[in-house]
Amino acid sequence: MATVFHQLPTQRPATPLLDSVDSPADLRRLGVAQLAELADQLRHYLLYCIGQTGGHFGAGLGVTELTIALHYVYNTPEDRLVWDVGHQTYPHKVLTGRRAELLTIRQQGGLSGFPKRSESDYDTFGVGHSSTSISAALGMAMAAKLRGESRRTVAVMGDGAMTAGMAFEAINHAAHVDDDLLVVLNDNKMSISENVGGLSTYFAKIWASGFYNSIREGGKRVLKRMPYTKELVRRTEEYMKSFVAPATIFEELGFYYIGPLDGHDLPLLIDTLEKIKAIKGPVMLHVITEKGKGFAPAEQDPVGYHALNKLEPSSTNQAPAGPKYQKIFGDWLCDRAALDAELIAITPAMGEGSGMMEFAAKFPARYVDVAIAEQHAVTLAAGMACEGVKPVVAIYSTFLQRGYDQLIHDVALQNLDVTFAIDRAGLVGEDGATHAGAYDISYLRCIPNMVIATPAEENEARQLLNSCYLHPGPAAVRYPRGSGPNVAVQAELAEWPIGKGRLLRSGAGPVIFNFGALLGNARHAAEQLDAELVDMRFAKPLDTALLDQYANTGRLLVSVEENSVAGGAGAAVAEYYASQAATVDLLLLGLPDSYVDHASTAAQHRAVGLDSDSLVAAIRARMATPNN
C-alpha cells in the first residue's frame, strides 16, 4: 500500500533507491519487490519539487505506479511511450534522467511542464492539448511496420481525453489497420469504481493470460468455418465481460479490452503488461487510478490540487492583486444571466479555469459542460442560436483553434448570435507555447461577420463582454490569464458602440495604437516619448475614423498587441491605410514569428520585446532611422 503524505516537504527527502535510477535501464535492474518503495520515494520527491517550483500536481501522483510499470516492462525509448496532454509526466521525467532538473520545471531555461521532443529521446511526442496520443501512437506503429521495425508502441490516455472526437477517430482507424498498439485508458474519476475488486481483477487476469488468449485466437480460427457458432460464442464472451467491465464498446470498435485493473497495484500491472506483449492487434488496457494518490489533501480535492503555486516564505509581503479576468468574466456572466433568461453558458471542460463555478451553482440548468470537445461546443452553440437563445462559449484561445472550422462554417457563415469569451489570450507564462493564445486575432480577423474586442483592463473586459453579447451576431472578447491593472469595475452593464476606440493621452511624438492588455506598458512608453496613446478596444471592426486622423501626418504610428504580428491587429491597421492609399510610417509590435518558451509572463514579455522598456527602445530605434 502506498504511503500517504499529509504535507509538502520543505527539505529534500532522502530517496536512496530513486537516486540509483538515472534511466529506465536502471529501473529494469530492480526486483519487482523493490518497486513499491521506489514509488513511495518518487512521490515524496515529486511533492518536494512541486512545492519548490509549482506546477501540475495531482495527475502525476496518480500515475506513479503506472509510469514505473510501463518503463519497467517496455524497452523505452526504443519502444515508444506516448503521453496524452502531458500534465501527468513529471514521474516520467524523473525516471528518464531528469531527476535533478525537475527543480527547474516550468521555469525559464528549465524543463517544460509537458513532454517535449527536443528535451529528451524519451519524450516521443510533444503535447499540451488533449486527445492526441492514440493518433500519434498509431502513426508511430504504422511507420515502424512500414520500415520493418519491431518496436512496440503505447499510448496513455486519460478518461477525460476520451470525450474528444479525435480519440474515437483514432480508435476507429486503429481497429481498421489492426497493427500492434496498446492504449492505456487511465481512469481517475472513479466513475466505475464498483468494478475495481476481486471479481473484476480475476477476470482481467484471465483475459490477459496467455492461456485464455491462445484459446480465444485458436477458437477464432476454428469458428471462422462455423459462422452461426462463431456469432454465439462472440456474443457469449461479450455478455460475460459486460457483467464485470465496460468491455463491449471497445470490443465492438475492434480493440481487445482488458480491465479495469487497480492502477496502483504494481505487481498486477507488470504481470498484465508482460502478457499483453503477446497479444496481436490493438489492445485497450483500462486502469483505475486516483488523482493525487499518496497526498491526502489532493486525494480529498483532486480538482483543487490539479496544479499548485510554489511555496512562498511566510514573511513575503506582496501588494494585493486585483481580481483576475476570469473573475471579471464569471461575475459578468452571473449578472447578465440574472437579466436575460435566454443566456446559456458553454464550456469544454474548463469551467473552473474560466471562472464559471458561481454561474454553475446559480444557474445549473443553463450551464453546459460538454467535456473536452471544442468542436462540439462551438456547433452546439450554433444550434442553440438557431432557436433564439443566447449562447456564451467560454474557451481558452489555444483551444478555440480546435473548433476553427465550426467557428467559420457553423457560426460565422450563418451570422449566428454566439458570443465567445476567449480566455488566456496572449502569453501564458509557465504553460509555454502549447497553451499560448498567440493567434486568435489573426485567425478570427479574416472571418466575415466576426467582431473582435480587445479590452485593456478589468472594466473594459466587463463592458465589452456585455456590448459584444448584445451585438446580434458572432463576437469574441479576448482577455489574458490572471490579474489586470486593478482598475475599478463599474457595476452597471453598459452597451458601448462596436468598433469604437478612445484617445487616452495626447502628445507631440509618435502615436501608439494599443490593442488589449498591454496598455500599462504602452502607457509607460507614451509617457517616456510624449506619444499620443489610443486604446483601440476592437481589432475588428477598426475605428477607421480614429485612424483617419493620423493618416498622412508624417508621424510614426505604432501598434502594440499580444498576438502574432503576422495577421494581427497591427496588420489590420496596415491593410486599412493601404486600402486608403495613405502615406504612413508604421511600426508593428507584437509576438514574433516563433514559439515562445515557458517562463514567467514578465520574462516572456522581455524576451519578445513587449515589456515597457523594450517598447520604448524599439520606438526610439525606429525614430532614429532616416525619415523619422
Side-chain angles (χ1 to χ4, degrees):
M1 181 177 293
T3 299
V4 177
F5 301 94
H6 294 270
Q7 59 186 8
L8 298 176
T10 57
Q11 301 293 324
R12 202 242 195 247
T15 55
L17 188 58
L18 178 64
D19 295 347
S20 71
V21 177
D22 293 319
S23 71
D26 296 329
L27 172 66
R28 295 176 202 123
R29 284 191 279 270
L30 300 178
V32 174
Q34 296 175 279
L35 299 183
E37 176 60 26
L38 179 69
D40 282 345
Q41 292 186 17
L42 178 51
R43 273 200 181 86
H44 204 183
Y45 183 69
L46 289 172
L47 294 174
Y48 166 70
C49 289
I50 299 169
Q52 298 300 304
T53 66
H56 294 109
F57 190 80
L61 296 177
V63 297
T64 298
E65 286 86 1
L66 178 61
T67 305
I68 291 171
L70 288 167
H71 281 296
Y72 193 80
V73 172
Y74 289 92
N75 184 32
T76 56
E78 175 65 19
D79 290 335
R80 306 303 197 223
L81 181 55
V82 183
W83 297 94
D84 209 271
V85 186
H87 296 155
Q88 74 276 45
T89 52
Y90 291 18
H92 161 80
K93 289 176 183 274
V94 171
L95 296 175
T96 55
R98 290 167 278 180
R99 181 176 62 253
E101 292 175 276
L102 197 70
L103 286 166
T104 70
I105 201 160
R106 293 162 53 89
Q107 300 171 38
Q108 188 171 19
L111 294 182
S112 169
F114 304 94
K116 189 174 183 179
R117 281 170 53 84
S118 61
E119 189 177 291
S120 171
D121 290 341
Y122 292 92
D123 291 0
T124 60
F125 196 74
V127 294
H129 290 188
S130 82
S131 314
T132 62
S133 62
I134 304 178
S135 296
L138 179 60
M140 293 175 186
M142 293 174 67
K145 182 178 180 180
L146 182 66
R147 300 179 65 178
E149 298 167 346
S150 59
R151 67 169 60 96
R152 299 175 184 278
T153 309
V154 181
V156 183
M157 167 78 79
D159 57 320
M162 285 294 290
T163 61
M166 184 177 179
F168 281 92
E169 292 172 15
I171 288 172
N172 179 66
H173 189 213
H176 172 74
V177 173
D178 202 35
D179 285 348
D180 296 347
L181 172 69
L182 171 61
V183 176
V184 179
L185 174 57
N186 173 35
D187 185 345
N188 61 22
K189 291 189 176 179
M190 310 303 286
S191 59
I192 54 170
S193 58
E194 64 273 13
N195 287 324
V196 177
L199 186 60
S200 61
T201 299
Y202 171 73
F203 277 112
K205 288 180 178 179
I206 292 176
W207 298 336
S209 71
F211 175 71
Y212 178 84
N213 191 50
S214 65
I215 293 176
R216 184 175 184 269
E217 294 302 315
K220 279 185 177 180
R221 289 192 293 272
V222 173
L223 293 171
K224 281 181 180 178
R225 298 185 294 272
M226 303 170 61
Y228 298 106
T229 307
K230 176 183 177 182
E231 179 64 12
L232 175 63
V233 172
R234 184 187 69 81
R235 289 185 177 276
T236 301
E237 180 185 50
E238 286 180 359
Y239 293 154
M240 179 188 74
K241 287 186 176 182
S242 69
F243 282 124
V244 292
T248 305
I249 184 172
F250 296 113
E251 292 278 7
E252 289 289 349
L253 289 169
F255 272 69
Y256 184 68
Y257 174 90
I258 298 169
L261 301 182
D262 180 352
H264 302 296
D265 186 334
L266 267 165
L268 176 62
L269 285 173
I270 290 169
D271 180 63
T272 303
L273 289 170
E274 290 285 3
K275 290 170 179 173
I276 285 173
K277 291 166 72 173
I279 301 174
K280 297 296 183 181
V283 179
M284 177 76 68
L285 173 62
H286 185 173
V287 301
I288 304 294
T289 63
E290 183 177 5
K291 194 170 184 179
K293 178 72 172 177
F295 186 63
E299 291 180 356
Q300 296 165 12
D301 182 14
V303 173
Y305 280 86
H306 171 71
L308 290 183
N309 294 322
K310 66 180 180 180
L311 296 174
E312 297 287 356
S314 57
S315 60
T316 299
N317 293 317
Q318 295 180 332
K324 292 183 177 181
Y325 281 99
Q326 294 66 41
K327 170 68 171 169
I328 300 296
F329 167 69
D331 288 347
W332 168 80
L333 194 65
C334 290
D335 293 345
R336 186 72 244 178
L339 299 174
D340 188 349
E342 300 295 328
L343 185 151
I344 303 290
I346 301 170
T347 176
M350 292 288 113
E352 288 87 1
S354 295
M356 302 174 75
M357 291 299 93
E358 183 180 353
F359 177 88
K362 288 183 175 180
F363 306 97
R366 295 156 63 187
Y367 172 72
V368 182
D369 187 342
V370 302
I372 302 174
E374 296 89 354
Q375 294 168 302
H376 170 58
V378 175
T379 303
L380 177 73
M384 289 180 173
C386 286
E387 299 303 317
V389 300
K390 297 271 289 182
V392 176
V393 180
I395 190 167
Y396 293 7
S397 171
T398 186
F399 298 147
L400 184 55
Q401 294 164 189
R402 309 183 102 187
Y404 189 56
D405 178 66
Q406 289 70 28
L407 179 61
I408 296 172
H409 183 270
D410 299 337
V411 175
L413 181 64
Q414 303 183 91
N415 201 26
L416 293 173
D417 192 2
V418 179
T419 304
F420 293 90
I422 302 181
D423 196 352
R424 270 64 167 181
L427 299 175
V428 291
E430 292 82 0
D431 279 345
T434 60
H435 285 59
Y439 315 108
D440 54 81
I441 293 178
S442 301
Y443 69 66
L444 292 173
R445 194 171 66 78
C446 61
I447 303 175
N449 295 329
M450 284 298 304
V451 168
I452 310 167
T454 60
E457 31 84 346
E458 296 94 333
N459 187 57
E460 276 199 350
R462 177 177 172 86
Q463 307 307 339
L464 288 176
L465 280 163
N466 198 62
S467 303
C468 286
Y469 177 81
L470 295 174
H471 170 72
V477 184
R478 73 184 307 260
Y479 48 88
R481 179 184 187 179
S483 300
N486 209 6
V487 169
V489 177
Q490 298 171 4
E492 68 172 313
L493 292 174
E495 183 175 3
W496 291 352
I498 298 296
K500 294 298 178 182
R502 58 173 178 158
L503 177 65
L504 292 181
R505 184 186 192 279
S506 297
V511 180
I512 299 175
F513 301 124
N514 177 76
F515 295 88
L518 292 175
L519 179 62
N521 295 353
R523 190 189 300 274
H524 171 82
E527 292 168 351
Q528 293 294 308
L529 302 166
D530 191 23
E532 200 116 317
L533 178 61
V534 179
D535 176 17
M536 292 297 292
R537 285 186 172 168
F538 290 88
K540 184 178 182 179
L542 290 171
D543 189 339
T544 55
L546 196 51
L547 294 180
D548 287 342
Q549 297 178 28
Y550 303 103
N552 306 310
T553 61
R555 301 174 74 176
L556 174 63
L557 309 181
V558 183
S559 66
V560 176
E561 63 189 301
E562 198 170 353
N563 182 87
S564 170
V565 168
V573 172
E575 290 166 10
Y576 173 72
Y577 281 133
S579 73
Q580 302 300 302
T583 300
V584 293
D585 184 17
L586 277 174
L587 173 61
L588 310 185
L589 299 178
L591 299 180
D593 188 23
S594 59
Y595 295 106
V596 181
D597 279 339
H598 56 278
S600 69
T601 304
Q604 289 181 323
H605 285 159
R606 287 192 297 271
V608 299
L610 291 178
D611 64 298
S612 56
D613 290 340
S614 295
L615 293 180
V616 172
I619 296 170
R620 279 181 172 156
R622 181 61 170 266
M623 293 172 65
T625 60
N627 302 321
N628 283 302

